[in-house]
Amino acid sequence: MTNLKNTNPKILVIGDLMIDHYLWGSCERVSPEAPVQVVNIVKDNIVLGGAGNVINNLKSLGASVDMISVIGDCEASKELLGLFDKINVSTKYLTVQKDRVTTKKSRIIAAQQQVVRFDNESSEEINKESSQAIIGTFKSIFMNYDIILLSDYGKGVLTDELTKSLISIAMQKKIKVLVDPKGLDYSKYTGAYLLTPNKKEASEATNIDIKDQKSLRSAVKALKDNYDLSVSLVTLSEQGVAVFDNDLRLHPTAAKEVFDVTGAGDTILAALGFSLASNINIDNAIEFSNLAAGVVVGKIGAATATLEEIMQYESKISQISSDKFIKSWVDIESIVSSLKNNKKNIVFTNGCFDILHAGHVKYLEKSKSYGDVLIVGVNSDESVKKNKGDSRPINNEYDRAYILASIEAVDYVVIFHEETPFNLIGHIKPDILTKGNDYAGREVVGQDLVKELKLIELTEDKSTTKIIDKILSKN
């Protein structure tokens, strides 16, 4: 992880503030009045939710944070102000609208599981006076911040007109705006730097059913094109985060134990904002946000992650996970540059590696013997389908990359989406390219980009196709 210690970006958060209320208890019987559980409450607590949880996460990371929003003239609003006071966040830019009730979500937890939730709130759009107050405040202070985060929970603060105005004003001064979106129509977010929808939200917003690599690429590209985003990304739960600017990349999740996903989206937005405001590139920012989310989903309730917790978590998973050897195109470029500066000979090979077998491993071991570092390019699911038909691959691209990364002979794995690895080879510029000896006498893609081509004798009777045929013949 890029070192983010001692960074103190100034970040402005605008959105729906709310309270998350947790009632903790035990359940040992069913009510005689109705077929429902009886929970004996032993304690309760309140924490910041919604945009408030984004702010709390930013404070935990070490950012300087201010907020603009609208609250009600109610008991929940008083509780909310007290929570912000505890974390030393100023409430001077909040507007009080007397007819509103600030959202309070109450969750009953028994045996570490949520039993029921009940809400008390106003969710209609804020009035014109409140909207004008936000715009006036924003215009007077927005230039003081490195980045702006919009946390939209659909509770009425980020109206269509207001959201468009905020993004337009920020764009004029080239200040990045990151948005956690809500609803089906994302047009009000047009011009933002990026949005953070999950898979379901992205599918609904684009009318594209995300079910494979091809549809995922179509959806993230549609989001970028339709709403004039600088970067498009979609969070994919246990599959990680997909990002698209000029090409599609998938960053695997860092979560190993998931107890509660409450607030995970808030953490991702906060971590992205924090790292981008600290001048970290988008791929490293996503990896950082994945680590932060991995920390918070291992806790119960709307939680936060400190830099220390994130670094400890990264250290822990790096000892047991092969994820760290799967690299994006951006990462591999910097790694290769460092390797070449240290006079290391780089070997490159590529393939689908669908069902890994002994022949593959022997081939990779021989490839590694020709140099100091072996980088393996693995075809994406979309690329495999183009080359081998709709019935392939058997294993998805992340699974294939992960297994390759676990092999001792392999130093780094990079996924590519084109039908051939020509562009990736040109990107890496390896010293040696290896291929199976079945390519003897044939043109090998990328051989004109390297110093030397090595053809390796393949293990007889070992192939993924033969394995699949054998399985099918027994059925």
Side-chain angles (χ1 to χ4, degrees), residues 130-151:
S130 294
S131 183
Q132 289 175 338
I134 288 177
I135 286 292
T137 300
F138 183 74
K139 286 181 177 178
S140 66
I141 66 172
F142 81 101
M143 287 292 292
N144 299 328
Y145 301 93
D146 299 306
I147 206 162
I148 295 159
L149 308 184
L150 303 185
S151 177

Side-chain angles (χ1 to χ4, degrees), residues 342-353:
N342 289 302
K343 310 298 182 184
K344 299 294 184 182
N345 283 320
I346 299 171
V347 181
F348 177 88
T349 194
N350 66 278
C352 301
F353 299 100

Side-chain angles (χ1 to χ4, degrees), residues 163-317:
T163 304
K164 288 178 179 177
S165 296
L166 295 172
I167 294 174
S168 176
I169 294 166
M171 283 178 63
Q172 292 172 20
K173 298 297 182 181
K174 297 183 179 179
I175 297 178
K176 292 184 178 72
V177 178
L178 279 56
V179 184
D180 189 357
K182 196 72 173 178
L184 301 179
D185 183 4
Y186 286 1
S187 60
K188 68 177 181 179
Y189 308 123
T190 298
Y193 180 76
L194 63 77
L195 309 181
T196 61
N198 60 34
K199 180 179 176 180
K200 179 176 181 292
E201 291 167 336
S203 293
E204 292 173 345
T206 59
N207 289 317
I208 296 172
D209 181 17
I210 301 176
K211 56 186 179 181
D212 53 23
Q213 190 76 14
K214 183 177 181 181
S215 55
L216 174 61
R217 182 183 179 86
S218 297
V220 291
K221 188 176 186 302
L223 287 170
K224 184 177 187 297
D225 294 344
N226 293 348
Y227 305 112
D228 193 23
L229 308 175
S230 298
V231 175
S232 180
L233 63 83
V234 175
T235 61
L236 301 168
S237 188
E238 71 278 358
Q239 293 178 298
V241 176
V243 60
F244 181 90
D245 39 30
N246 296 316
D247 61 86
L248 177 67
R249 302 178 297 284
L250 182 63
H251 291 268
T253 181
K256 300 304 171 189
E257 293 182 296
V258 180
F259 292 106
D260 191 349
V261 297
T262 303
D266 300 330
T267 299
I268 287 177
L269 179 65
L272 284 172
F274 181 83
S275 47
L276 289 171
S278 302
N279 297 314
I280 303 302
N281 69 50
I282 185 61
D283 289 281
N284 287 337
I286 292 172
E287 290 179 7
F288 175 71
S289 68
N290 268 342
L291 288 167
V295 172
V296 302
V297 298
K299 302 177 181 181
I300 298 292
T304 62
T306 65
L307 283 176
E308 288 73 22
E309 286 178 315
I310 294 169
M311 288 187 289
Q312 289 173 8
Y313 184 71
E314 181 185 33
S315 177
K316 178 182 177 182
I317 65 172

Side-chain angles (χ1 to χ4, degrees), residues 21-29 36-43 106-117 259-260 300:
H21 178 208
Y22 294 90
L23 298 100
W24 306 84
S26 59
C27 178
E28 298 177 354
R29 62 194 178 96
V36 295
Q37 300 175 78
V38 176
V39 180
N40 180 34
I41 302 298
V42 295
K43 67 174 181 177
S106 297
R107 299 172 174 89
I108 297 178
I109 312 290
Q112 303 300 308
Q113 292 188 347
Q114 188 176 149
V115 177
V116 70
R117 190 184 97 185
F259 292 106
D260 191 349
I300 298 292

Side-chain angles (χ1 to χ4, degrees), residues 1 29 44 52 70 97 118 158 161 169 230 233 244 277 284 298 302 320 332 338 352 401 414 416 433 438 444 472:
M1 183 184 74
R29 62 194 178 96
D44 72 322
V70 177
Q97 187 174 311
F118 53 95
L158 288 169
E161 183 179 353
I169 294 166
S230 298
L233 63 83
F244 181 90
N284 287 337
I320 60 174
I332 202 64
S338 176
C352 301
V414 185
F416 65 93
L433 174 65
D438 54 335
V444 176
L472 292 175

Side-chain angles (χ1 to χ4, degrees), residues 456-474:
I456 297 173
E457 185 175 353
L458 299 178
T459 304
E460 192 173 347
D461 293 327
K462 297 290 184 181
S463 78
T464 298
T465 300
K466 287 182 179 179
I467 292 172
I468 294 171
D469 289 343
K470 186 175 182 180
I471 293 170
L472 292 175
S473 68
K474 290 187 176 183

